[in-house]
Amino acid sequence: MKAKYLLIIATLLLTVSCQDFLNIRTEATMPSTGLDYSKTENIFLPVSAAYAKMRLAEGEAQNYVSVLEVPSDDAYKGSTVDDAPAVKEFDEFTYGPENIHIGYVWSIFYNIVSAANYAVESMDEFAKVITGEAALLQVKQCRAEARLIRAYAYFNLVRLFGSVPLIDRSMDSQELASKEVSSVADLYKFIYDDLDAGIQDMPESYAGMPGRYTKYTAMALKAKVALYNKDWNEAAKQADAIIATHKFSLEPNFRDAFSVEHENGPESLMEIQSSDMGQTSGAMPICYYGFIQGPKGGNEPMQGWGHKVPSDELIAFFDSRGDNIRKSVTLLERGSTTPDGDVIYNRCANPYYNGKVYVPSRYNTRSFNAYGLDHNMRIIRYADVLLIFAEAMANGATIASESGYTAEIALNEVRARAGLGATSATLDNIYDERRAELALEENRFFDLVRWGKAAEVLGSLGFTEGKNELFPIPANQRQLNSALPQNPGY
């Protein structure tokens, strides 16, 4: 079994009230058993519970990949023709406020917010009774850690829905049911503030705890948030500062950037941890992100639900560039045998699957729904940081680079790993590099929107300008909270 630290056990140790947002209940309700704030060994538990909320359960994973990737030109729904008809709506831009997957994605991220809010408030309680410099420092760091997790959730909410309610504390049912939305500008400011706390208060590492979020995670996430906010100087500044540390690097082998063996490796800045712990059954800290995308119609332990499959357009894009290294890793082909000796059977439903979540059969030890449970979700890789820096600089960022990098150096470092020659750092070249490098990692649709290219690229698929840049506010949430306006066009 692979050895790795997992921010896990909180679901067993601590129960946080994280039901569907606005399904009227008190936000961040205290656990019925109570939490002894005088004990230092309890400090991390609420933060661990927030991490646990980031791991996607089976249905959550389907909702996540359906909404965040399928609308792009890089992926189709996948699975069989008659399976998950509500997911097919994302291929064709026919979804509306009643789409169940959009409703669930809203809940996924607000449940993370709820758990993070509970953790922040718990740190305030610990600070009232805990003594000792080391313990108080831990409280401060854990508060910043929870705020980073909250920032991650709000970044996704603002990308998906635009203006949404800003819930930053415990609220009673009446407050929740009448909470108005905050502006996009205010939401970005809130996210910045949470991440600034992480940059200032979180450590550079935790001894014996790879995978736990650090100040560098906060810097990388802020760089990405700033990129989407078109705050070029801030995006370049944070990315450049990470590059200048020389603590991170690209995996020499592109395949290793997604392998089980190289999880939390030199390219990792933010991952969501998952493991079946080498067990065949029982409680496990697993995330179903890999399983949902596993081959449909294979044999255990090499089969999943087959969702979010690579599109013909993505394959043609790789071929047009001679981008063979990344193509071979990104595509898991029906009828092929992997380098680890696993057969992807010809009877599988789809011609291709997402190779970035491939997990060799030797790791898939669970007795049921075994595939991919040892796969960590890669949220931010160092390659993304390099491309953020390149794009921000190409857009006119005027920072004094600490790393000595230019947009060209950053761009071509990513290309070199893929076996491609150097090119100029034009915006179009950077856009293409983001597509090739980050394919099927839930970036493409949001990139097209922020570049103003979504209508041009996705119009033939059904994308409507002025409408589909955002997703509809879920109908059930508007029933619960009459203060929620609907997004334009829905």
Side-chain angles (χ1 to χ4, degrees), residues 98-262:
E98 302 287 346
N99 184 283
I100 60 171
H101 303 291
I102 294 172
Y104 281 124
V105 164
W106 174 285
S107 296
I108 286 169
F109 291 116
Y110 269 112
N111 286 342
I112 295 172
V113 168
S114 179
N117 283 342
Y118 173 81
V120 170
E121 294 186 344
S122 294
M123 295 309 114
D124 294 338
E125 296 302 316
F126 280 113
K128 292 176 183 178
V129 295
I130 288 286
T131 59
E133 185 176 339
L136 287 172
L137 176 61
Q138 184 184 2
V139 168
K140 185 178 183 180
Q141 292 174 341
C142 283
R143 182 187 289 108
E145 202 169 357
R147 292 181 69 180
L148 183 153
I149 293 170
R150 183 170 64 185
Y152 163 76
Y154 272 117
F155 175 49
N156 282 296
L157 285 164
V158 75
R159 289 197 301 172
L160 288 161
F161 301 107
S163 296
V164 296
L166 183 52
I167 310 296
D168 62 348
R169 58 181 177 82
S170 297
M171 294 183 180
D172 61 29
S173 300
Q174 186 174 359
E175 285 181 289
L176 287 170
S178 59
K179 181 68 174 174
E180 295 184 349
V181 299
S182 294
S183 69
V184 169
D186 285 346
L187 288 162
Y188 271 112
K189 181 181 184 304
F190 182 80
I191 294 167
Y192 272 26
D193 289 345
D194 270 356
L195 294 175
D196 284 342
I199 293 168
Q200 178 177 324
D201 295 337
M202 293 174 71
E204 295 185 6
S205 64
Y206 299 88
M209 299 172 111
R212 189 171 171 184
Y213 300 157
T214 69
K215 71 176 297 177
Y216 298 118
T217 312
M219 292 164 65
L221 185 53
K222 189 175 185 188
K224 191 157 189 169
V225 169
L227 189 77
Y228 279 77
N229 199 28
K230 297 186 178 181
D231 185 355
W232 310 125
N233 277 351
E234 188 64 27
K237 172 187 171 184
Q238 297 299 336
D240 179 66
I242 292 170
I243 296 167
T245 67
H246 303 292
K247 293 179 180 292
F248 302 92
S249 60
L250 299 178
E251 294 277 6
N253 185 335
F254 185 63
R255 191 176 300 275
D256 287 341
F258 310 96
S259 71
V260 173
E261 294 87 353
H262 290 251

Side-chain angles (χ1 to χ4, degrees), residues 309-340:
V309 299
S311 68
D312 294 340
E313 292 85 352
L314 177 61
I315 297 168
F317 173 71
F318 280 131
D319 289 340
S320 70
R321 294 162 50 88
D323 209 330
N324 298 321
I325 290 175
R326 287 188 289 210
K327 177 184 175 182
S328 68
V329 173
T330 306
L331 308 182
L332 189 64
E333 187 172 4
R334 180 174 62 192
S336 68
T337 299
T338 72
D340 290 271

Side-chain angles (χ1 to χ4, degrees), residues 255-488:
R255 191 176 300 275
D256 287 341
F258 310 96
S259 71
V260 173
E261 294 87 353
H262 290 251
E263 288 172 348
N264 305 313
E267 191 164 343
S268 172
L269 280 136
M270 187 177 186
E271 298 186 15
I272 295 175
Q273 310 294 309
S274 179
S275 178
D276 63 14
M277 307 297 285
Q279 302 177 91
T280 58
S281 61
M284 304 170 187
I286 51 179
C287 175
Y288 277 90
Y289 177 78
F291 169 75
I292 291 299
Q293 301 175 68
K296 174 81 169 181
N299 284 347
E300 289 281 8
M302 288 301 298
Q303 69 166 345
W305 284 7
H307 285 284
K308 201 191 86 176
V309 299
S311 68
D312 294 340
E313 292 85 352
L314 177 61
I315 297 168
F317 173 71
F318 280 131
D319 289 340
S320 70
R321 294 162 50 88
D323 209 330
N324 298 321
I325 290 175
R326 287 188 289 210
K327 177 184 175 182
S328 68
V329 173
T330 306
L331 308 182
L332 189 64
E333 187 172 4
R334 180 174 62 192
S336 68
T337 299
T338 72
D340 290 271
D342 293 316
V343 175
I344 311 303
Y345 289 98
N346 278 311
R347 64 174 175 268
C348 288
N350 309 103
Y352 296 97
Y353 298 95
N354 182 3
K356 288 182 173 180
V357 300
Y358 164 68
V359 175
S361 59
R362 65 181 180 275
Y363 289 110
N364 300 327
T365 58
R366 184 172 158 130
S367 57
F368 177 70
N369 284 1
Y371 181 79
L373 302 181
D374 267 352
H375 173 82
N376 282 3
M377 284 180 67
R378 273 65 169 186
I379 303 299
I380 303 180
R381 298 188 285 114
Y382 183 61
D384 197 356
V385 171
L386 290 170
L387 293 174
I388 288 169
F389 177 80
E391 185 176 341
M393 295 301 287
N395 271 294
T398 57
I399 68 161
S401 174
E402 297 178 31
S403 67
Y405 271 49
T406 63
E408 284 78 10
I409 292 173
L411 172 65
N412 288 314
E413 187 170 323
V414 176
R415 288 176 59 83
R417 196 257 301 266
L420 301 176
T423 190
S424 59
T426 65
L427 284 174
D428 283 342
N429 285 343
I430 294 166
Y431 295 165
D432 282 351
E433 208 60 36
R434 281 190 67 82
R435 183 183 188 185
E437 177 68 28
L438 305 175
L440 305 183
E441 296 181 54
E442 288 80 43
N443 289 282
R444 175 66 174 171
F445 174 77
F446 299 105
D447 279 348
L448 288 172
V449 168
R450 69 183 179 84
W451 293 332
K453 291 179 173 288
E456 171 191 343
V457 175
L458 304 175
S460 62
L461 303 177
F463 181 97
T464 300
E465 190 171 8
K467 173 185 177 181
N468 293 126
E469 290 85 355
L470 297 174
F471 291 87
I473 304 298
N476 66 325
Q477 297 299 331
R478 297 189 72 221
Q479 291 172 352
L480 291 166
N481 180 1
S482 60
L484 292 178
Q486 187 52 272
N487 280 327

